[in-house]
């Protein structure tokens, strides 16, 4: 990296390409490793959805670049799409890439507390990605039992017909969890111990709070699933019967272990996403966040409640029906803090001076689209309505209206916002906006029709509806085709982003240290920050969102600039 | 909304639809208000030369109420929705009215077997009637079903009945339905169950009492001890896939086919 060595840890310059970029303990390099791996996996995840949506829209036709899709391949593609997008795109990009890049910079320290653990975390993650991608190539193909991997289907090659793929899937997921446990330890420890002098917990930017809460959620919820995964592996390989009723096991056990992790996991990826959105909205509306503490408390509340909602995935799974009452209540309760968080973001805009730069467009789109995901979730949390809607495309459209804003929209908001800091150059605004509108409009064209097919009874993971007379109607097929066309348009707009990304890396305008006139500490470091981050470690004098403070000439007031002004702030 | 697409063919179908409509009516104003507020604020407070943003912390009570009140409203409506949802849930899944008929439903990769106890009302006797991928029912009778799976998880889903229930190997799951409309409707498997998941279709045929009686009489008795013990079925998944692919409706018959409106 550059020659402005941070005073804290000077040694790492001139160490050659491998030491600098592949074997580095620098949190920023590790963040980029996670980011690029995540983006690469997103391309694979995008390709899988392209293939299986083409099959749904045009059943039996050869798909360009793939060929005919068999029922088995269809299941593998669906499974891998879900697995990759959640575990190998959302997690590494939102949690690991932004967490690694931002936490030390925003806290004003030179690196993570455990840099070598951090490096190990990425290496294990990379290994997990390799294992997962390799499973496409084994005999029988990649695992085809859905990303939830319910046994007995997942536990026996006789049932799923992808015996090697199933085992590699479990191994890859387990490795991935190890990677994120190591990363999470770092995030939490660093946030607790390495804040700049003067920075109290309530001076910490929201995104850091969110990543720390998400890491704690992850660590607290993943244990049962790791135990479950080991048992699943034993069932697959050693012939044990943890999930096999014939030998006294119970398939429902896995569902409890999986969703006890799986629902907090939704918030593990959601919280960093809303954190990114908070940062961007504050900067581009030149406003103090409306109720900083409210956001922190709602995030904490969401985190706690998220441990008590898991069985809403299992209303009709054969659990005691009386349990549905309890989990319906907790599920609808969790809508309260989430709704409050969204209200807070909307309220922040009031009285602002809003500039619709590309990152802001993404952040506002997050709020607008996530609202759809939120209100449609109410239908599913209500047990009586879930009887009909469960496992239909309504569910699918609902969680894509949450996950797409989380994993894709907020990631684009974050990348376009911090790109100048990451690489020292500005991204092209015009290309950014073309990409934004192409993506957002196409996204809605995909999923609004799928709400309708779901209401009409389309159930999930069906590679050809012609066997179902009530569903094999021209009207429904027409909607399926619209959704697929929307997907093609969405995918067609993504090269615009990659082109913009690469071109800006090479030829973008040189970025000043603080191009967005932002308050948080990462903007006090040079762009891009050298190893060690700050020429001089900053001190903190106020909270992160002192925008448009009365009595100051400038409409921002960075955390590290000493001084006080009449009327407001410290 | 749902009945535009799928017939309400069971006694509780309309309740489920009404619940979904109720939720839609409650959340739609919230949703629209939030989106309108969002877009209005974006427009109203767009950056203009010379205009500075205001400094609002959002921590004063007079400011907080803009968030607190909507949030209480959310809570109130949540309570209404929970109460309505659980009433429907109880009707469908918990409070089962006394049965007039029984049927045993057996899911396996990738077929549905339906067993009627026959005239004696007892399962596992010589007069049981068993059908594959067609479920014959009599209109307006209250059925209790007993749902089994031989291998992996499946889910017995009849959209026209607004009924869905997972089948779990090793368990007999009880439930009920009462068909109210004659006609023919889809049965889906709604839980992924392997490569034949997309082929695991069946049909429900709801008949008038006379037609059902006629069928009962004519149907061949297949004395069988329905194997409901899990997994051990000797066929490999591949083999039974082949069987399923070639299986077609086993019971062709004449009568009075009133198609339900679609």
């Amino acid at each position: 990296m550059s020659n402005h060595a941070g005073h804290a840890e000077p040694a790492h310059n001139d160490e050659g390409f491998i030491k600098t970029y592949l074997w580095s303990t620098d949190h920023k390099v590790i963040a980029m490793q996670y980011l690029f791996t995540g983006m690469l996996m997103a391309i694979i995840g995008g390709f899988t959805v392209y293939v299986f949506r083409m099959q749904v829209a045009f059943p039996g036709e050869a798909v360009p670049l793939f060929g005919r899709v068999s029922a088995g391949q269809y299941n593998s593609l669906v499974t891998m799409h879900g697995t990759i997008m959640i575990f190998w795109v959302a997690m590494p990009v939102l949690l690991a890439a932004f967490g690694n890049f931002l936490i030390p910079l925003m806290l004003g320290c030179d690196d993570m507390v455990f840099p070598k653990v951090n490096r190990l975390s990425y290496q294990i993650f990379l290994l997990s990605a390799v294992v997962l991608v390799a499973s496409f190539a084994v005999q029988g193909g990649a695992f085809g039992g859905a990303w939830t991997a319910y046994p007995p289907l997942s536990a026996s090659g006789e049932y799923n017909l992808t015996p090697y793929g199933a085992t590699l899937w479990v191994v890859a997921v387990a490795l991935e969890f190890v990677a994120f446990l190591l990363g999470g330890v770092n995030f939490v420890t660093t946030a607790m111990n390495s804040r700049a002098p003067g920075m109290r917990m309530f001076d910490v930017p929201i995104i850091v709070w969110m990543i720390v809460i998400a890491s704690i959620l992850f660590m607290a919820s993943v244990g049962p699933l790791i135990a479950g995964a080991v048992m699943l592996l034993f069932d697959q390989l050693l012939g044990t019967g943890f999930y096999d009723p014939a030998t006294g096991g119970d398939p429902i056990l896995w569902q409890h272990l999986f969703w006890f992790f799986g629902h907090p996991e939704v918030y593990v990826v959601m919280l960093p996403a809303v954190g990114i959105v908070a940062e961007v909205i504050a900067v581009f509306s030149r406003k103090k966040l409306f109720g900083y503490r409210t956001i922190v408390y709602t995030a904490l509340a969401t985190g706690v409640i998220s441990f008590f909602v898991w069985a809403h995935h299992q209303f009709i799974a054969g659990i005691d029906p009386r349990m549905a009452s309890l989990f319906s209540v907790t599920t609808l309760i969790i809508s309260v803090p989430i709704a409050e968080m969204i209200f807070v973001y909307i309220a922040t805009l009031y009285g602002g001076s809003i500039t619709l730069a590309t990152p802001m467009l993404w952040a506002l789109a997050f709020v607008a689209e996530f609202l759809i995901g939120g209100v449609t979730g109410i239908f599913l949390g209500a047990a009586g309505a879930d009887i009909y809607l469960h496992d239909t495309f309504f569910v699918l459209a609902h969680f894509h209206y949450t996950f797409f804003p989380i994993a894709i929209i907020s990631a684009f908001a974050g990348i376009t916002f911090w790109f100048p800091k990451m690489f020292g150059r500005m991204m092209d605004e015009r290309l950014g906006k073309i990409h934004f509108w192409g993506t957002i409009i196409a996204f809605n064209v995909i999923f609004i029709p799928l709400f309708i097919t779901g209401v009409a009874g389309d159930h999930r993971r069906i590679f050809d509806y012609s066997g179902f007379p009530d569903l094999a109607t021209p009207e429904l097929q027409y909607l399926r085709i619209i959704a697929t066309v929307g997907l093609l348009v969405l995918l067609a707009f993504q090269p615009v982003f990659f082109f913009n990304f690469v071109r800006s890396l090479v030829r973008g305008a040189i970025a000043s240290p603080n191009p967005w006139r932002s308050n948080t500490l990462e903007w006090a470091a040079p762009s891009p920050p050298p190893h060690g981050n700050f020429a001089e470690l900053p001190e903190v004098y106020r909270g992160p969102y002192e925008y448009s403070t009365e009595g100051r000439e400038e409409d921002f007031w960075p955390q590290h600039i000493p001084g006080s002004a009449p009327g407001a702030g410290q | 909304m749902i009945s535009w697409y799928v017939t309400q063919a069971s006694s509780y179908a309309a309740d489920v639809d009404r619940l979904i409509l109720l939720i839609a009516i409650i959340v739609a104003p919230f949703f629209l208000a939030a989106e309108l507020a969002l877009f209005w604020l974006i427009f109203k407070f767009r950056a203009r030369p010379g205009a500075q943003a205001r400094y609002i912390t959002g921590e004063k009570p007079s400011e907080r109420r803009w968030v607190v009140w909507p949030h209480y409203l959310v809570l109130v409506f949540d309570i209404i929705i929970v109460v309505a949802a659980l009433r429907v849930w109880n009707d469908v899944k918990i409070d089962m009215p006394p049965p007039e008929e029984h049927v045993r439903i057996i899911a396996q990769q990738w077929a549905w077997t339906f067993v009627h106890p026959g005239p004696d009302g007892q399962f596992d006797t010589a007069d049981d009637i068993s059908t594959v991928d067609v479920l014959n029912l009599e209109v307006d009778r209250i059925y209790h079903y007993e749902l089994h799976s031989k291998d992996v998880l499946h889910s017995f889903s009849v959209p026209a009945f607004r009924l869905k229930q997972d089948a779990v190997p090793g368990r007999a799951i009880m439930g009920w339905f009462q068909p109210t409309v004659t006609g023919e409707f889809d049965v889906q498997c709604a839980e992924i169950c392997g490569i034949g998941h997309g082929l695991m279709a069946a049909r429900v045929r709801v008949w008038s009492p006379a037609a059902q009686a006629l069928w009962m009489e004519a149907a061949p008795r297949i004395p069988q001890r329905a194997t409901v013990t899990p997994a051990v079925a000797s066929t490999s998944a591949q083999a039974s896939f082949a069987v399923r692919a070639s299986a077609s409706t086993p019971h062709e018959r004449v009568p009075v086919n009133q198609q339900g409106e679609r």
Side-chain angles (χ1 to χ4, degrees), chain A residues 158 250 332 368 388 390 546, chain B residues 35 55 71 78 164 171 237:
Chain A
E158 286 239 317
D250 187 351
L332 291 180
Y388 181 68
H390 193 91
E546 297 303 314
Chain B
E35 295 281 5
Y55 185 85
H71 134 219
D78 272 357
K164 196 171 285 141
R171 295 188 188 194

Side-chain angles (χ1 to χ4, degrees), chain A residues 218-556:
Chain A
F218 181 80
M219 287 193 273
S221 63
V222 79
L225 182 58
I226 290 183
V230 170
M231 291 192 281
L232 184 57
L233 205 60
F234 283 1
D235 271 15
Q236 288 176 350
L237 299 179
L238 306 180
T240 55
F242 290 107
Y243 304 117
D244 178 6
T247 56
D250 187 351
I252 305 284
L253 171 64
W254 167 267
Q255 297 184 19
H256 286 295
L257 297 175
F258 184 88
W259 288 116
F260 183 78
F261 160 80
H263 207 87
E265 166 71 10
V266 172
Y267 299 100
V268 168
V269 291
M270 192 202 86
L271 292 177
V274 295
I276 291 170
V277 171
E279 303 299 327
V280 174
I281 285 185
V283 169
F284 288 96
S285 58
R286 315 309 293 166
K287 272 289 303 292
K288 189 179 171 76
L289 273 182
F290 190 94
Y292 170 101
R293 290 180 191 220
T294 310
I295 301 179
V296 174
Y297 293 143
T298 55
L300 287 169
T302 309
V304 172
I305 302 170
S306 75
F307 282 97
F308 300 96
V309 299
W310 81 89
H312 68 214
H313 297 270
Q314 300 164 252
F315 281 157
I316 60 151
I319 59 172
D320 188 319
R322 285 165 298 182
M323 281 211 328
S325 324
L326 177 63
F327 285 97
S328 249
V329 171
T330 55
T331 300
L332 291 180
I333 286 176
I334 208 169
S335 72
V336 173
I338 301 282
E340 185 156 353
M341 205 181 282
I342 296 292
F343 294 152
V344 162
Y345 288 178
I346 294 174
T348 299
L349 298 173
Y350 180 84
S353 172
I354 298 167
T355 315
L356 294 180
T358 310
M360 184 61 161
L361 285 175
W362 287 113
L364 295 171
F366 177 94
V367 177
E369 305 286 6
F370 192 83
L371 267 167
I372 302 180
V375 297
T376 51
I378 305 273
F379 292 85
L380 303 167
D386 185 63
I387 299 169
Y388 181 68
L389 296 171
H390 193 91
D391 264 324
T392 64
F393 268 75
F394 187 93
V395 177
L396 180 136
H398 152 71
F399 71 70
H400 279 88
Y401 265 102
T402 61
F403 262 113
F404 189 90
I406 289 171
I408 309 294
I409 294 181
S410 82
F412 282 136
I415 291 170
T416 50
F417 182 62
W418 279 292
F419 189 91
K421 183 56 59 186
M422 288 171 174
F423 304 109
R425 289 177 186 271
M426 305 299 289
M427 286 185 92
D428 186 274
E429 274 290 303
R430 200 162 54 101
L431 287 175
K433 283 178 178 154
I434 293 172
H435 172 238
F436 168 80
W437 287 110
T439 305
I440 286 297
I441 293 171
F443 164 66
N444 289 289
V445 173
I446 299 172
F447 289 104
I448 288 172
L450 296 184
F451 275 122
I452 302 171
T453 63
V455 163
D458 267 15
H459 49 322
R460 294 171 60 190
R461 299 160 179 155
I462 300 301
F463 83 113
D464 182 353
Y465 286 95
S466 57
F468 300 88
D470 293 351
L471 299 176
T473 62
E475 298 82 34
L476 290 180
Q477 192 58 27
Y478 186 59
L479 290 172
R480 293 177 199 125
I481 292 172
I482 293 177
T484 299
V485 170
L487 173 73
L488 295 179
V489 174
L490 186 139
L491 292 176
F493 270 93
Q494 301 318 304
V496 177
F497 172 78
F498 285 103
F499 173 74
N500 189 5
F501 193 95
V502 173
R503 198 183 75 152
S504 304
L505 270 184
V506 185
R507 298 185 34 202
I510 299 293
S512 67
N514 191 1
W516 309 121
R517 309 190 321 130
S518 176
N519 283 347
T520 40
L521 290 179
E522 78 273 28
W523 305 103
S527 296
H531 198 154
N533 295 344
F534 298 93
E536 196 175 320
L537 287 181
E539 271 191 56
V540 166
Y541 299 94
R542 66 190 62 77
Y545 303 110
E546 297 303 314
Y547 292 100
S548 308
T549 317
E550 283 154 35
R552 268 181 69 84
E553 204 148 293
E554 287 188 305
D555 65 356
F556 68 118

Side-chain angles (χ1 to χ4, degrees), chain B residues 152-173:
Chain B
V152 301
L153 299 180
H154 300 275
S155 188
F156 178 71
S157 168
V158 186
F161 289 179
R162 311 291 188 270
L163 170 64
K164 196 171 285 141
Q165 177 60 54
D166 284 9
V168 182
R171 295 188 188 194
I173 295 169

Side-chain angles (χ1 to χ4, degrees), chain B residues 177-204:
Chain B
F177 52 77
Q178 181 183 19
T180 53
V181 177
T182 57
E184 213 181 292
F185 312 103
D186 273 348
V187 175
Q188 311 168 339
C189 173
E191 185 67 64
I192 189 166
C193 57
I195 64 170
H197 174 53
L199 297 172
M200 197 163 156
R203 295 288 273 176
V204 173

